[in-house]
Amino acid sequence: MIHHSDAGSQYTSIKFTETVALEGLVASIGTIGDAYDNAATETVMGLYKNEAVAKNSPFVTGPLKTLADVEKLTFDWLD
């Protein structure tokens, strides 16, 4: 099981990390720069929200009603 949390100081403390491990959980984040740092993901998601799905986005050509609509928009944005 994965324990997901934000990067607040309480979640990066040694005691918290030890407790998560003792409970048999895996942390979804870690310290800045390690494999669990989610800053890059948050940056990409921010760009996606602002560039791809915003109301005035050139990638939105109609209503996003189906998964196929979102997939097309996403791949157009990635391209």
Side-chain angles (χ1 to χ4, degrees):
M1 181 179 293
I2 296 174
H3 177 277
H4 180 70
S5 60
D6 65 9
S9 61
Q10 73 272 23
Y11 294 116
T12 56
S13 70
I14 292 170
K15 183 69 175 169
F16 178 79
T17 303
E18 290 172 350
T19 302
V20 168
L22 287 172
E23 293 298 322
L25 301 173
V26 176
S28 67
I29 65 159
T31 56
I32 295 171
D34 70 12
Y36 296 120
D37 180 17
N38 64 353
T41 301
E42 290 179 3
T43 299
V44 171
M45 287 308 299
L47 290 170
Y48 179 76
K49 289 176 183 177
N50 287 316
E51 295 177 359
V53 296
K55 288 182 181 180
N56 60 348
S57 170
F59 299 100
V60 177
T61 58
L64 301 174
K65 292 185 176 182
T66 67
L67 178 59
D69 296 336
V70 175
E71 287 174 342
K72 181 178 180 338
L73 175 139
T74 301
F75 285 113
D76 287 347
W77 177 71
L78 287 171
D79 184 45

